[in-house]
Amino acid sequence: MGWWRLPFSEQLDGLTCPLYLLHAHIGYMIFANFANETNKWLVYVVAFLAVILCSYLLGELVEVRAKTFWYRAFTWAVGRPITAMSARISALRLRLLGHRSRKPRARGGDPDLAHSTVS
């Protein structure tokens, strides 16, 4: 089914997260303030359209158009400290491993072979 694509599937996929975050809040506000028995179907349609429109705007403005801003902000706030910590850990490891390799060797050759039995 890789050859079969749904039209607008990528746009609809972009609506799922904002839709999930907004549907209960906007729907509850609209139903609580405007719905009654005589106009409930009209309010359903208006609430549906309002949630879809807000989801689209939120997804477009925050996720798509501000993508470079978020990338730079997270790189600065998270990436730089992690890179700095990683560099310090690597330097510390090298210093510790370098310190171990400079230990004086035991007399008589390799200390690992000192306890081995030779036949």
Side-chain angles (χ1 to χ4, degrees):
M1 298 260 297
W3 53 269
W4 188 59
R5 293 186 144 282
L6 292 173
F8 304 108
S9 62
E10 289 181 17
Q11 289 83 2
L12 292 174
D13 180 49
L15 291 177
T16 55
C17 184
L19 184 66
Y20 171 74
L21 296 172
L22 295 175
H23 78 281
H25 301 293
I26 293 175
Y28 179 75
M29 286 188 322
I30 290 174
F31 291 133
N33 291 316
F34 301 110
N36 58 35
E37 264 320 297
T38 59
N39 68 352
K40 68 180 177 181
W41 290 106
L42 176 64
V43 173
Y44 285 142
V45 171
V46 169
F48 175 77
L49 294 174
V51 168
I52 295 295
L53 177 66
C54 288
S55 298
Y56 172 77
L57 291 174
L58 182 66
E60 184 68 23
L61 296 175
V62 173
E63 293 180 10
V64 175
R65 293 191 184 182
K67 183 179 183 177
T68 56
F69 167 77
W70 293 121
Y71 181 78
R72 287 180 184 159
F74 283 118
T75 300
W76 180 81
V78 178
R80 281 182 40 191
I82 288 176
T83 302
M85 284 189 302
S86 177
R88 286 181 184 248
I89 290 170
S90 294
L92 182 62
R93 279 182 57 204
L94 286 175
R95 195 171 70 191
L96 289 174
L97 291 175
H99 181 67
R100 267 194 217 153
S101 66
R102 287 189 223 133
K103 282 186 178 179
R105 293 188 180 253
R107 289 186 185 178
D110 195 347
D112 293 331
L113 297 176
H115 298 289
S116 66
T117 57
V118 180
S119 52

